[in-house]
Amino acid sequence: MAGKVGFVSLGCPKALVDSEQIISRLRAEGYETVPTYQEADVVVVNTCGFITPAVEESLSAIGEALAENGRVIVTGCLGARPEVIRRAHPQVLEVTGPGEIDRVIAAVHQVVPPDPNPYTALIPPQVKLTPRHYAYLKIAEGCNHRCSFCIIPKLRGLQRSREAADILAEAARLVATGTKELLVIAQDTSAYGVDLHHRASEYAGRQVRAHLVDLVRELSQFGAWLRLHYVYPYPHVRELVALMAEGRLLPYLDVPLQHASPRILKAMRRPGGIEGHLKTIAEWRAMVPDLAIRSSFIVGFPGETEEDFSLLLDFLGEARLDRVGCFTYSEVEGAEANALPGAVPEEVKEERKARLMALQQRISLEKNQARVGQTLEVIVDDYGELPGQVVGRTRYDAPGIDNQVYVETDGTVKIGDIIQVRVSQAGAYDLFGQMVGRVSWKPAFPMAVGAGRV
């Protein structure tokens, strides 16, 4: 038998997909993944390096792995800056960048050689680090934007889209093996296929363009919930909203707006402003009235004045977004925004974040209270603390970042089930209710499994 590998995966869903691919490759070679440092022959740490707190968390995780095990291979976004890692932890065995799966496998081989017996290295199914009922489907790597606060292009390179046929084949396999929700991700999902000039590839006997609208049309036929993340408001997003109106795509958009002040957006090298954002949101909601819009914002960006921040609050008050995340500006080594004048004191950043989240909490509470009395479909993610209670999400909520629903059931509901829930109570971030029915589900096109790019 090959050796035992411990794995620590940090960062965003895109990094989680990288972790799944690494573990799948190792499992295919006969390696066993183990849950403790003490059992592992070597530990792989997949890092995040997007903002300073993420760098600190990654360095802490590496230090813990070294202290508990001593044999550590580092990969991921922070691995694109090996000098940072080796300065803090010179004893790590190898440092590789994001997506460098072959180098990670080679490093593991150096520490724990693979089993030479081919009969014990039977290829297993793709390893998933999410529950069986949902999966992240990464359609592209890298990013072409040059936002002044971000170093993703330096860490992960320019955008590299996957062929549509390869994505569809992976999605078909996932759905056929029990995945009921596909979460489509990329650094800029809307730009999918631009680098391929939207060329077509063959899937299940037909040509499919590498374009987000075409891809979504195909993915919607598998019968799973289909959710989009990191969607920039390009004009063709209107076509995606039209697919939501047809019921082929969940009424949910994760749109990273970052700010509303035109002056700050210009300094961030981001498009838009209050009027443009509000006009686009109004158009989308006219097409799909129950559309849930999630966005994230940065407060305390260099040069942000109280007037700029007030513009952001005014925008949020008028836009009434459904889900909002807020981050204080954090310097990232290599980001051009670090050189901008007008640094905002940390206490002012935190005070502005608190004011923004207080406003959004009031909006969220009002929106949730409007759900009381409604019957919603809920996908079950976990069991609750009370007998018969389960915890799930509506179509308007993504796992790990959005609202949850606490549901009283008859005790026969399992994780991954989709149930009908009548909402009886609402808080600022959570709903409470009772199960009133079940939703049957099965893959719509399992015969497509195995089809791929020609």
Side-chain angles (χ1 to χ4, degrees):
M1 292 291 291
K4 298 179 179 180
V5 181
F7 211 97
V8 179
S9 186
L10 305 173
C12 65
K14 296 180 288 296
L16 187 70
V17 173
D18 291 345
S19 296
E20 291 175 338
Q21 293 173 351
I22 293 169
I23 293 174
S24 295
R25 286 275 300 276
L26 291 172
R27 289 279 301 276
E29 294 183 352
Y31 290 92
E32 179 184 353
T33 52
V34 292
T36 67
Y37 292 118
Q38 290 70 33
E39 296 175 78
D41 297 311
V42 64
V43 177
V44 178
V45 181
N46 190 1
T47 60
C48 179
F50 182 50
I51 57 176
T52 299
V55 172
E56 294 170 350
E57 180 186 20
S58 294
L59 292 176
S60 175
I62 295 167
E64 178 180 295
L66 284 167
E68 296 289 337
N69 184 281
R71 297 172 298 279
V72 178
I73 296 165
V74 179
T75 188
C77 282
L78 188 57
R81 298 158 61 193
E83 70 284 354
V84 175
I85 296 169
R86 294 210 179 270
R87 185 165 59 243
H89 302 295
Q91 62 270 52
V92 296
L93 300 175
E94 179 65 278
V95 178
T96 76
E100 294 186 326
I101 296 174
D102 289 341
R103 288 186 60 196
V104 175
I105 302 301
V108 172
H109 288 175
Q110 288 294 317
V111 183
V112 190
D115 187 351
N117 185 344
Y119 295 103
T120 62
L122 300 177
I123 297 177
Q126 171 75 25
V127 173
K128 287 174 76 263
L129 299 179
T130 54
R132 183 186 180 196
H133 62 283
Y134 70 82
Y136 292 100
L137 185 64
K138 185 158 64 172
I139 63 174
E141 184 61 89
C143 183
N144 291 338
H145 293 286
R146 289 291 184 267
C147 303
S148 63
F149 57 84
C150 181
I151 59 171
I152 289 296
K154 297 179 182 179
L155 298 178
R156 290 185 170 264
L158 297 179
Q159 175 144 330
R160 303 179 304 283
S161 301
R162 299 173 60 191
E163 297 282 4
D166 291 342
I167 298 168
L168 292 168
E170 180 184 350
R173 288 192 296 271
L174 288 167
V175 173
T177 54
T179 299
K180 297 180 180 179
E181 179 179 9
L182 294 169
L183 298 106
V184 178
I185 56 170
Q187 198 65 39
D188 178 2
T189 305
S190 302
Y192 166 67
V194 169
D195 54 307
L196 301 178
H197 303 287
H198 302 305
R199 70 182 177 223
S201 54
E202 185 174 335
Y203 175 77
R206 57 189 181 275
Q207 295 292 316
V208 182
R209 277 199 319 157
H211 190 285
L212 187 58
V213 176
D214 299 61
L215 184 68
V216 165
R217 286 197 183 102
E218 293 288 333
L219 288 170
S220 69
Q221 298 182 67
F222 293 140
W225 283 16
L226 188 60
R227 190 182 305 277
L228 299 181
H229 281 286
Y230 319 125
V231 176
Y232 284 66
Y234 298 168
H236 66 261
V237 173
R238 285 179 56 86
E239 297 180 63
L240 297 171
V241 177
L243 293 176
M244 294 177 191
E246 297 173 11
R248 300 173 69 176
L249 179 63
L250 291 182
Y252 179 99
L253 282 177
D254 186 342
V255 187
L257 298 175
Q258 307 300 1
H259 214 281
S261 163
R263 197 178 67 83
I264 296 300
L265 286 168
K266 183 178 180 180
M268 289 179 168
R269 296 183 189 158
R270 300 281 297 189
I274 291 181
E275 292 183 4
H277 289 342
L278 290 175
K279 181 176 182 292
T280 299
I281 291 169
E283 290 174 350
W284 291 345
R285 284 177 170 160
M287 299 171 68
V288 180
D290 68 336
L291 173 66
I293 301 175
R294 153 169 276 282
S295 192
S296 57
F297 298 89
I298 299 172
V299 297
F301 190 81
E304 182 190 61
T305 64
E306 183 63 28
E307 181 181 358
D308 293 317
F309 180 67
S310 295
L311 287 174
L312 176 55
L313 293 184
D314 291 343
F315 165 73
L316 290 172
E318 190 166 350
R320 295 180 60 82
L321 301 179
D322 301 86
R323 314 285 183 253
V324 167
C326 181
F327 304 90
T328 58
Y329 174 74
S330 173
E331 286 193 0
V332 179
E333 186 176 339
E336 296 180 24
N338 298 342
L340 294 175
V344 178
E346 289 299 322
E347 61 272 19
V348 176
K349 294 179 187 177
E350 293 296 337
E351 187 268 341
R352 288 176 181 173
K353 176 182 177 180
R355 285 162 60 192
L356 186 152
M357 292 310 298
L359 169 62
Q360 184 58 36
Q361 187 176 50
R362 293 194 295 272
I363 294 170
S364 180
L365 178 60
E366 292 171 6
K367 283 178 169 284
N368 279 351
Q369 288 175 334
R371 296 287 185 191
V372 174
Q374 295 182 4
T375 297
L376 305 174
E377 287 188 3
V378 170
I379 191 165
V380 177
D381 289 332
D382 202 354
Y383 299 112
E385 297 180 356
L386 303 176
Q389 185 186 65
V390 297
V391 184
R393 293 173 290 108
T394 71
R395 292 171 173 265
Y396 313 105
D397 299 290
I401 56 173
D402 290 329
N403 295 0
Q404 293 182 311
V405 187
Y406 292 81
V407 188
E408 299 172 18
T409 75
D410 58 9
T412 64
V413 175
K414 304 183 297 298
I415 292 175
D417 286 351
I418 301 176
I419 58 178
Q420 293 178 320
V421 177
R422 180 174 293 117
V423 180
S424 58
Q425 187 179 349
Y429 299 115
D430 297 316
L431 299 176
F432 303 84
Q434 296 75 41
M435 183 180 77
V436 295
R438 296 175 181 266
V439 179
S440 60
W441 182 90
K442 65 179 181 179
F445 291 95
M447 72 289 295
V449 176
R453 178 164 55 91
V454 176

